[in-house]
Amino acid sequence: MLKILFVSSEIHPFAKTGGLADVGCALPKALQSLGHQPIVFMPAYRSVMEGDHPIESTDIQIQIPVGNRLMNGSILQGTLPHSNVPIYFIEQHEYFDREGIYGGQSDYEDNCARFSFFSRAVLEAINVLHLDVDVIHCNDWQTGLIPALVRLQNRPLGVDTQTALIMTIHNLAYQGVFGRAEMRSTGLDWKHFNWQEMEFYGKLNLLKTGLVFADGLSTVSPTYANEIQTTEHGCGLESLLRDRKNDLAGIINGVDYNDWNPETDALLASKFSSSNWRIGKPQCKEDLQHIMGLPVKSDAPLIGIIGRLAEQKGWDLIIELMRCWLPDSEVQWAILGTGEARFEKEISELVQRFPERISAQLTFSNELAHKIEAGADMFLMPSRYEPCGLNQLYSLKYGTVPIVRATGGLKDSVTNADQEAVTAGEANGFSFSEYSAAGIQDAVHRAVLTYSEHQEIWGRIVETGMKQDWSWTNSARHYVDLYQSTLSQLSPKSVDCPIP
Ligand code: ADP
C-alpha cells in the first residue's frame, strides 16, 4: 500500500479549465480502489469556497515568505465527492480569492508567486499535518517547483530520499515561463538559475524545473510520450526529455464512468447502453436539437464539438470545413467552447448566417457537454496535437463516433474505420493524419457517408466503441507501476550498522 500525495492546480468538481481537473478527481479515487492511500492538494480558489461541496477548516495557519513578503495562509479540508479520499485546500485570499483560476482575458501577472506559494505551502502542510508519504505526484508547471524544493532545500518531515517525486506533463505547451526576477518567489538560491536546472533561455521555467528534479516522469499517452521527444512537439524541452526517456512513461488517461456513462447519466433525456442505443440515442439527439435551436431532424448527421477555443484544438480547420459545407450540406453542428476571441467571432458569424445548421454555446457548461456527447452522431476533434484528449473517450462510451486527427492520445484511442479494421471489428471511429483541409474533409466525408448509407457498418463502429473499457482501473495500475519502479531506483535507506 502506497501513500501518495497528489498535487494539482485543478480538481473536478472544485475547479476546472480542462482535462487536468478530470484526471485529478478520477485518478486518486482509482488509486484508492486499488488499495493505496491518496491524499489530494489544490488551492482554495473562489470557486472552491463558493461551490456546493462541504469544506472545513483545520485551524492550521501557515506562513510562507514569497519574495520580500511574508504570506499568511491556512489549510482547509474535505473529501473528493462520492469517495472518502481526503483533499486539502491551501487558502490564501490575496492569491486565490479571484474570479479566475489562472487569469481572465490574460494570465494573472503574479502567477509565479501564486503557484510558488502553493507549492511551498503543500510541503509545509506535510510537516504540520504529519503526513508520511511514499510518493509526491506533481502535475503540470503549477507544481513543478515541488521536486526542486524537496531535493534542494526544504525537506519536510515524512519526506526523505526514499520518497519518489513524480512529475506528469498534461500539456507540454504550458510550461510556466516567467521573467528571471521571479526566481525570488521560489525561495531557491540563484545558483540554481542555470540552463541545467531552472533556466530556459534567460527565463525561469517551472515545468522544466519539475522535469529536471523529479525522479520519475510521465505524460498522458504513449504516443505523446514519443512525440514530445521530437523538435516538432518538444516545445524546446525535447533534448531534456530525450535524455530522460528511460524515466518517462506514457500512460493514457481513463474515464470516470461514474460521471460519464450513458446508462446512468441523469443529465440525459434518455439513458441508453450498447444494446439499446438505437432507442435512447435518438431521444437524446432530439433533445439536443431542441435545446440548441436546431431543426429536429432524426436523419440529419449531427456533429458535436466541445473544447477550448485554442489553436491546439484545430479550430482553423473546423471553421474552414464548416465554411465550405454549411451552404449545401444537411450536416448539423452543435458547438460548445470558450477561449480565443478570434474563434468566437468566426463561429458567431457562421451561426448568424446558417442558424438552421449550426448552433454554438460559447460558455462552459458541464450539463450541455453531457447532452452533446449523448445527442450527437459524431464528435469532431482535429487537434494539431493532443496529449491525451478526454472527449473522444467520452464519445466512444456514448456511441458518438469520434472523427480525430491521429496524434497523441487520439491516435492511441481511435482506430480508423478502414476496410481492414471494420472487417476485424476493431474500428471505433475515423481518423486522418495530415493536418490539412483535405485531411479533415476526407475523414468527415467518410464518416457522414457511412452514417447515411452504410447503417449496418455504422452500428458496428458505434457498438465497438461503446463496449470498450477506458476506465481508470487500467491506467491507475500503470501509475502504480511507475511509482513502484521509481521507488525501487531510489537510494536505499541508510541503515545504522552496529560496529563489531
Ligand atoms: P484539454 O485538457 O486540452 O482542454 P481534454 O479533452 O483533455 O482537453 O479535456 C477537456 C475537458 O474539459 C473535458 O472534460 C471537456 O468536456 C471539458 N470542456 C472543455 N470545454 C468545455 C466547455 N466549454 N464546457 C464544458 N466542458 C468543457
Side-chain angles (χ1 to χ4, degrees), residues 15 41 43 58 67 85 129-130 185 196 204 255 310 396 398 412 428 471:
F41 273 87
T58 61
V85 175
L129 293 166
H130 306 294
S185 48
Q196 285 170 309
L204 168 65
V255 175
L396 289 169
Y398 283 71
D412 293 335
N428 63 2
S471 64

Side-chain angles (χ1 to χ4, degrees), residues 16 18-19 22 306-308 313 336-337 363-365 389-391 394:
K16 169 168 171 174
D22 296 308
I306 304 166
R308 289 179 291 115
K313 300 290 177 183
L336 173 64
T363 58
F364 196 96
S365 163
L390 288 171
N391 279 115
Y394 303 153

